[in-house]
Amino acid sequence: MAKGFTIDYSVFEKRAKALAKRLGKDEREFVRQQTGILAREVAKFTPPFASFPTFRGTAIGSKADEKQGRWAIYMDVKWICTVKPDDVISKAKTSWGSGPIIYGGKMISKGVIDSTGSLHAWHKANQGPNNRTKALKGPERYWVSLSAFTQYVKEQQNNVGTAKAAFAQASVALGAKGSVPLWVKKNMPNSQGTGRLSKGSKGTTGDISGRAGGLFHTNRHVPKLMKNRLVKAVKRGEFLMRKAAKDSNFKVV
């Protein structure tokens, strides 16, 4: 299930905004840069990641992050099915049809799945609002043919990076510096991300928004990311003011 949210950039409308206004004609550029950097930081703190990210560096994701995402998908699907060789699945269908598999008077499986379409439906049925898949015990699982399982997992692994892509898109729209990993970039068409600036009576404001499966897990990090960006934006704004004053031969206390 795709989850989306919008980050209101009004947190900058106090100290950082005051600094931006003092920059005069550079206000819009200042807000654009800070909004774009925030978008990259949100993408960075969006799963998958091999180890929890920090504020150091500008990379949105690494090869290790991609590998972790692919492994997570493999395990996600593995928890809801019991993989069997294709010939075993064929024999099971002959014996039990599409119904539960009963052996020794006990149900040992809900039935058999031998197509990616059916596996996809079963996968979605076991996903919660937060996109997490419920782990099932043996009798609650379907027996799934190895070929269907392998193909379906591969298809799903192609989507690794979709959640990160939403805010990577927003950062690109705002002209933020920094590259976007190929495994994230290729999923931009599968996600929705925007970065906008608007001019109002109180000056320039910016906002970023994203929508894609997996963003539920990013939501809890947003307050921390906005606080960090606010602190750095203030420092950057103060630096620019000092530099402008120095270039103009004015003394700044």
Side-chain angles (χ1 to χ4, degrees), residues 24-234:
K25 66 180 182 180
D26 296 324
E27 177 205 18
R28 183 178 178 85
E29 178 63 13
F30 176 78
V31 174
R32 182 190 67 77
Q33 288 178 354
Q34 295 303 313
T35 311
I37 294 171
L38 177 60
R40 284 188 65 86
E41 290 173 341
V42 174
K44 184 178 185 179
F45 277 75
T46 296
F49 32 75
S51 58
F52 195 75
T54 68
F55 290 112
R56 293 191 300 272
T58 61
I60 287 176
S62 65
K63 274 291 183 182
D65 295 334
E66 180 189 14
K67 184 177 179 180
Q68 174 61 30
R70 296 178 69 85
W71 172 251
I73 286 177
Y74 171 84
M75 291 305 299
D76 204 51
V77 183
K78 190 78 166 58
W79 277 119
I80 61 170
C81 59
T82 300
V83 182
K84 298 285 186 180
D86 289 20
D87 63 326
V88 172
I89 294 299
S90 296
K91 292 175 183 177
K93 287 185 71 174
T94 301
S95 300
W96 290 283
S98 59
I101 299 176
I102 310 296
Y103 187 79
K106 293 182 179 181
M107 187 180 81
I108 61 173
S109 173
K110 287 181 68 70
V112 298
I113 289 177
D114 59 359
S115 71
T116 57
S118 296
L119 181 52
H120 178 69
W122 178 236
H123 189 197
K124 300 302 284 186
N126 286 284
Q127 285 184 317
N130 61 357
N131 250 42
R132 290 193 182 279
T133 301
K134 177 175 62 176
L136 302 177
K137 296 181 180 179
E140 299 173 323
R141 301 180 180 186
Y142 277 91
W143 283 7
V144 178
S145 66
L146 177 60
S147 59
F149 176 84
T150 301
Q151 184 180 345
Y152 179 71
V153 168
K154 185 176 181 180
E155 290 171 356
Q156 293 301 301
Q157 287 176 332
N158 287 333
N159 297 324
V160 170
T162 300
K164 282 182 178 290
F167 285 101
Q169 238 181 342
S171 74
V172 170
L174 290 162
K177 295 180 180 179
S179 61
V180 178
L182 181 60
W183 59 278
V184 175
K185 184 183 294 185
K186 73 177 184 180
N187 278 302
M188 283 184 175
N190 304 324
S191 62
Q192 298 175 35
T194 59
R196 294 185 295 267
L197 297 179
S198 59
K199 184 76 172 178
S201 59
K202 295 183 178 181
T204 303
T205 59
D207 65 78
I208 57 177
S209 63
R211 183 172 180 81
L215 289 180
F216 177 93
H217 309 290
T218 306
N219 224 348
R220 56 184 167 162
H221 302 306
V222 170
K224 176 176 65 177
L225 293 171
M226 294 183 76
K227 181 180 179 180
N228 173 73
R229 182 50 30 205
L230 171 60
V231 171
K232 290 182 177 177
V234 169

